[in-house]
């Protein structure tokens, strides 16, 4: 799926880590939400509210999922899932384009 | 207008200047297009195809419009228009969130 149809897009960006991570929020007709975002290279820790699926559209990073010690390499075309109310970390090696689906 | 409704969003980001400028393309029911983008601090030169209106949602930059020698300061809440098939330059001083409307 290369595009999302019939969505509502919040105009203002979501900005994290001084803009090294930014995203746009899309709301679907069924009320579900996704964000489309960009991560610049760097290391970032995130907290989840709802569980989420992070689909990496392009880029290269390592992710450390909640409760794991090891870092898993992830690249464009791959995804990972994070449970609700958890923290995870990423080491972004090259500009990363992602789609985050919230599993409310 | 804080959101755009009933739009089609292209999933993959548009990436320029090694990711220092990125945007997402929105297509409206009438076929018109806008991009929502982020510029990191830096100096960038752009070329237009269609004429465009750059609405700065937040951030601080200077713009040099086609045929002008001076740089005009622009900040969040302000806009500028660029004619078709022209080049313009920006000096971005702080993370800039923008909406670009193409006047096809």
């Amino acid at each position: 799926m290369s595009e999302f149809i019939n969505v509502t897009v919040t105009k203002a960006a979501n900005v994290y880590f001084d803009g090294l991570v930014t995203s746009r929020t899309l709301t679907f007709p069924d009320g579900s939400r996704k964000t489309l975002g960009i991560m610049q290279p760097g290391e970032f820790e995130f907290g989840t509210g709802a569980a989420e699926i992070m689909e990496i559209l392009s880029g290269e990073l390592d992710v450390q999922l909640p409760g794991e010690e090891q870092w898993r390499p992830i690249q464009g075309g791959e995804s990972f899932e994070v449970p609700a109310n958890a923290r995870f970390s990423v080491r972004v090696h090259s500009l990363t384009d992602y789609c985050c689906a919230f599993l409310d």
Side-chain angles (χ1 to χ4, degrees), chain A residues 52-71:
Chain A
E52 57 190 54
I53 296 175
M54 281 284 283
E55 178 189 357
I56 305 304
L57 305 175
S58 64
E60 275 188 286
L61 67 155
D62 299 325
V63 64
Q64 187 183 42
L65 291 169
E68 296 196 353
E69 297 222 345
Q70 98 251 29
W71 292 77

Side-chain angles (χ1 to χ4, degrees), chain A residues 33-35 51-55 99-103:
Chain A
R33 287 175 308 121
K34 289 184 170 67
T35 56
E52 57 190 54
I53 296 175
M54 281 284 283
E55 178 189 357
C99 179
C100 180
F102 298 97
L103 308 175

Side-chain angles (χ1 to χ4, degrees), chain A residues 1 3-8 27-29:
Chain A
M1 181 171 39
E3 60 187 26
F4 295 119
I5 64 171
N6 195 24
V7 297
T8 295
T27 307
F28 290 75

Side-chain angles (χ1 to χ4, degrees), chain A residues 8 10 13 15 17 23 26 28 33 37 41 43 51 57 62 70 89:
Chain A
T8 295
T10 304
V15 176
F17 304 105
S23 71
L26 314 186
F28 290 75
R33 287 175 308 121
E43 184 166 340
L57 305 175
D62 299 325
Q70 98 251 29
S89 296

Side-chain angles (χ1 to χ4, degrees), chain A residues 10-22:
Chain A
T10 304
K11 202 168 169 184
N14 309 305
V15 176
Y16 309 97
F17 304 105
D18 293 327
L20 295 178
V21 179
T22 58

